[in-house]
Amino acid sequence: MIHTAVLKKEVLEYLDPKQKENFVDCTIGEGGHTEDILKRNGPEGKVLGIDLDPQQISASQWLEAIFKDRIVLVNDSYTNLTEIIERRNFGPVNGILLDLGMSSAQLAAAHKGFSFQIDQGLDMRYNDETGYLTAEKIVNDWPEEKIEEILKDYGEEKFAKKIAKNIVEHRKLGRIKSTFQLIEIIKDATPSAYWRGKIHYATRTFQALRIAVNDELENIKKVLPQAISILAPEGRLAVISFHSLEDRIIKNFLANESKKGIIKILTKKPITASRDELGKNPRARSAKLRVAVKL
Ligand SMILES: C[S@@+](CC[C@H](N)C(=O)[O-])C[C@H]1O[C@@H](n2cnc3c(N)ncnc32)[C@H](O)[C@@H]1O
């Protein structure tokens, strides 16, 4: 397995799977969290695992060999959660997990263009059959102000203005097509001190493009109300986010539902990774887990 699931112990503690209970893993990835759940909710409890990326569905098929018909895999977007559950007649649902963003396997995938360490086409779609917007379209066709805005908002990139301007300058000479081309443009737009920073100087631009291509913030807004409405009474919702904008959406949504008396928030402050986990998995450094229970 390439991907190391984050906050595994904490997710299991809060989801607290019991025999016969059913769970939905909206972002199954390589199945790290789902395996933990299936080890607890047998012999009858099931997990419905969803992923938008068909390759991630293939990467989680090893679960079928072990857990047989207790794992159901669906290649779809979690934004269609209600429909997926109804179509499969899956339930009652006692817990739902969302582990947002991208997995290490996707970062390493040769064709997606998520990584700034491999020279690839600028794609960044989780599913290249369903999405139409690509990172290439954004950098070549969007107006400078819109590029600057996503770099600022989704990437929290302090050199957003300079990078956006340089992208627009370069595309006058011909379409920007590859990750390495874009990286050179970012390098050229930023001061040399920035190239020696803790994180790679292209990290924030790449993150911003990925979020924009996949409409990740809107997706979260779409799935959260569905998740709450699907949960059975006493069902738990656990959401792991990696970005302050994602976390704000989740926090505000849960606060509102709690005010309405529909849920109770179990994590006053978001749970973050222990020092031990951070030592082993740097990807956990920005992970925040929020959990609520349906009343
Ligand atoms: C951080 S990984 C999940 C890792 C997983 N928890 C594990 O233990 O291996 C996030 C996953 O969410 C998927 N994803 C992103 N957007 C999605 C969407 N709208 N619907 C379903 N899956 C999505 C990605 O393809 C990726 O596999």
Side-chain angles (χ1 to χ4, degrees):
M1 204 181 285
I2 300 174
H3 182 78
T4 311
V6 301
L7 297 166
K8 263 168 83 89
K9 190 168 87 36
E10 295 81 356
V11 165
L12 199 60
E13 198 176 298
Y14 276 100
L15 282 183
D16 190 21
K18 297 181 204 62
Q19 283 186 4
K20 289 191 184 174
E21 286 190 332
N22 300 311
F23 292 80
V24 181
D25 184 344
C26 293
T27 49
I28 191 159
E30 288 166 70
H33 290 111
T34 281
E35 179 187 19
D36 291 343
I37 298 171
L38 285 164
K39 281 182 176 165
R40 291 268 196 102
N41 69 343
E44 287 162 61
K46 294 190 173 189
V47 174
L48 179 85
I50 303 169
D51 207 292
L52 182 56
D53 183 346
Q55 273 148 331
Q56 292 292 84
I57 290 292
S58 303
S60 60
Q61 267 163 353
W62 64 275
L63 291 163
E64 292 174 332
I66 302 173
F67 299 102
K68 314 285 185 224
D69 60 353
R70 293 180 49 225
I71 172 80
V72 182
L73 297 172
V74 180
N75 180 207
D76 203 334
S77 171
Y78 57 62
T79 52
N80 302 322
L81 185 59
T82 311
E83 195 196 314
I84 297 168
I85 300 286
E86 281 172 5
R87 215 187 318 130
R88 309 250 158 190
N89 205 8
F90 187 85
V93 179
N94 306 100
I96 297 180
L97 172 66
L98 280 148
D99 177 15
L100 300 170
M102 170 185 58
S103 89
S104 316
Q106 291 170 313
L107 193 60
H111 71 286
K112 290 201 187 288
F114 286 133
S115 168
F116 37 77
Q117 282 167 2
I118 323 168
D119 195 16
Q120 321 168 64
L122 283 167
D123 194 309
M124 300 201 188
R125 287 169 295 177
Y126 289 124
N127 185 330
D128 47 20
E129 278 166 25
T130 54
Y132 68 93
L133 183 63
T134 62
E136 189 188 319
K137 284 197 182 127
I138 295 179
V139 296
N140 289 292
D141 303 336
W142 279 20
E144 184 176 328
E145 311 76 64
K146 233 180 133 191
I147 297 177
E148 180 186 338
E149 191 182 301
I150 61 161
L151 296 188
K152 235 189 240 160
D153 290 351
Y154 300 166
E156 293 167 296
E157 169 57 74
K158 62 180 168 187
F159 297 109
K161 197 176 183 62
K162 288 203 162 122
I163 295 171
K165 187 162 184 276
N166 214 26
I167 287 174
V168 171
E169 278 305 310
H170 273 78
R171 74 189 189 194
K172 287 181 192 153
L173 308 171
R175 271 183 98 75
I176 304 162
K177 287 192 172 154
S178 77
T179 48
F180 278 15
Q181 254 180 304
L182 180 60
I183 289 165
E184 273 311 303
I185 292 168
I186 299 165
K187 191 168 185 186
D188 184 44
T190 51
S192 59
Y194 196 53
W195 312 339
R196 296 187 290 271
K198 238 186 178 170
I199 58 166
H200 190 283
Y201 54 86
T203 306
R204 293 176 180 281
T205 299
F206 273 55
Q207 172 185 297
L209 289 171
R210 194 204 77 217
I211 292 177
V213 164
N214 297 288
D215 211 7
E216 293 185 26
L217 302 181
E218 283 310 307
N219 290 347
I220 301 168
K221 289 182 194 160
K222 284 182 192 155
V223 70
L224 291 174
Q226 297 182 56
I228 295 296
S229 116
I230 281 162
L231 277 176
E234 291 179 42
R236 287 80 69 198
L237 170 68
V239 191
I240 304 173
S241 65
F242 293 87
H243 190 287
S244 57
L245 288 180
E246 288 173 345
D247 184 55
R248 198 176 312 149
I249 293 170
I250 299 153
K251 181 180 162 190
N252 290 342
F253 173 81
L254 294 180
N256 267 332
E257 295 299 292
S258 160
K259 254 189 233 152
K260 289 189 251 165
I262 295 170
I263 59 163
K264 181 178 171 225
I265 296 169
L266 300 182
T267 47
K268 272 221 166 70
K269 280 192 180 158
I271 309 288
T272 53
S274 64
R275 202 173 283 182
D276 184 40
E277 181 174 359
L278 288 174
K280 290 182 195 145
N281 184 7
R283 212 186 142 262
R285 84 183 159 232
S286 45
K288 284 186 177 154
L289 168 67
R290 292 189 186 268
V291 190
V293 59
K294 183 146 168 194
L295 298 174

